[in-house]
Amino acid sequence: MTTVDVHQHLWTPSLVAALRARREPPYLDGWTLHLEGEPPFAVRPGDHDIARRAELAAADGLGRALVSLSTPIGVEWLPAAAARPLLDAYHEGAAALPEPFGAWAAACVRDVDAAVTAKDLDQGFVGLQLPADALADAAGYARCAPLLDLLQERDLPLFVHPGPAPGGSAGPGWWPAMVPYVQQMHAAWFAFRAFGRPRHPRLRVCFALLAGLAPLHGERFAARGDGENGVDPKVFVETSSYGPRAVESVVRALGVDAVVQGSDRPYAEPPHHPGFGLGGAAAYAFRVDNPRRLLKGGD
């Protein structure tokens, strides 16, 4: 029995060095992160201490904690020549992380190169994370189709995570997380149904932050959409930043088999009660059985 958290972030020394080597967003000045469209963000060095994070994972009872590149930074949207040093630094550091860590690969979505991504996946990554704003419409799914074809061929999952939030610097600090990130996930959820699933019928996919609660619009979709409101057994949502009310509502919409635990550590904390008040069987499903099906397939 392996307990899994599918959504964490951990910046390795190689990625930190690559971000500090830049002079244009995204870049690090010491431990201050500068992004397009967001106010400077003070990174806490201890959040990315590998030994400390391993201890936290052990305290959470995790057998595996899956880390990924922080897509709101915007690395994937840089031109390939600018993105590659950062992607290489991320993959180098993430592939070398000790137990209990595993990692999602990352890819440039501005200049898509499936052959390069295939070589990255060869390093042992569990699947590929892509920014939600790259998968928000038909054009996005057409552009990223070679990457999704690659995943389907290799029987590896896709993890959809919010991308950059331009314009957030004009609002309060919580604005990006509460408005554009949620909007991106909502759009990506329905875009996958409309444009992703028809082309990639065997692809397993997980949407971060309960897909922005898009599954709760299933009744409206049944009335206004194509009339079908069935559950896709290869689609999952993870729980980061949400609590019992939201998780229970999504379970009512999708069933207990669609939910996996994701914490978004260090930006949020894992739940104190992994079953979100739904009992031990739900906790086992969220942390063990459902992540296994997401990552490996099968019933």
Side-chain angles (χ1 to χ4, degrees):
M1 180 183 78
T2 301
T3 54
V4 181
D5 183 329
V6 304
H7 180 191
Q8 296 196 9
H9 302 285
L10 177 55
W11 296 1
T12 62
S14 59
L15 178 59
V16 169
L19 286 167
R20 285 178 176 163
R22 291 178 52 82
R23 294 295 178 267
E24 296 180 352
Y27 72 95
L28 272 174
D29 181 4
W31 284 103
T32 300
L33 180 65
H34 295 265
L35 304 177
E36 289 283 359
E38 292 198 33
F41 177 74
V43 178
R44 297 179 298 187
D47 286 344
H48 302 285
D49 182 284
I50 296 172
R52 176 177 178 271
R53 290 288 299 277
E55 291 173 356
L56 290 174
D60 292 336
L62 293 176
R64 209 162 191 213
L66 303 182
V67 303
S68 61
L69 186 60
S70 299
T71 48
I73 293 175
V75 170
E76 295 90 343
W77 280 108
L78 294 172
R84 200 64 240 170
L86 293 166
L87 292 172
D88 287 344
Y90 164 71
H91 290 123
E92 174 189 344
L97 285 170
E99 295 291 340
F101 298 108
W104 299 90
C108 181
V109 296
R110 180 166 172 174
D111 303 310
V112 171
D113 190 331
V116 171
T117 300
K119 292 179 181 178
D120 292 331
L121 288 168
D122 287 341
Q123 299 178 61
F125 291 90
V126 301
L128 179 65
Q129 175 184 271
L130 292 177
D133 59 338
L135 297 171
D137 53 25
Y141 274 98
R143 182 176 58 252
C144 293
L147 300 175
L148 305 187
D149 288 339
L150 173 65
L151 291 176
Q152 186 166 259
E153 290 166 6
R154 295 196 175 194
D155 196 28
L156 293 175
L158 168 70
F159 181 37
V160 183
H161 186 288
S169 60
W174 49 260
W175 186 266
M178 291 304 302
V179 182
Y181 292 176
V182 174
Q183 290 172 335
Q184 287 181 32
M185 296 309 302
H186 188 112
W189 172 266
F190 287 106
F192 178 76
R193 179 174 186 136
F195 313 115
R197 178 55 82 210
R199 176 175 176 132
H200 310 283
R202 300 188 310 278
L203 182 65
R204 299 188 304 280
V205 57
C206 180
F207 291 85
L209 51 109
L210 296 179
L213 299 183
L216 302 188
H217 292 268
E219 292 167 322
R220 179 173 174 82
F221 183 80
R224 296 293 188 92
D226 59 16
E228 296 292 332
N229 195 27
V231 174
D232 187 329
K234 296 183 184 298
V235 171
F236 300 80
V237 295
E238 62 86 11
T239 59
S240 61
S241 301
Y242 285 99
R245 285 180 294 180
V247 171
E248 181 179 358
S249 297
V250 169
V251 166
R252 287 179 178 273
L254 298 179
V256 73
D257 292 340
V259 178
V260 297
Q261 178 178 308
S263 66
D264 199 22
R265 177 172 271 165
Y267 309 113
E269 291 299 312
H272 294 298
H273 302 287
F276 292 89
L278 298 176
Y284 184 88
F286 298 164
R287 287 161 56 93
V288 178
D289 197 40
N290 297 348
R292 175 188 58 79
R293 291 187 299 104
L294 166 65
L295 297 173
K296 300 298 183 182
D299 298 327

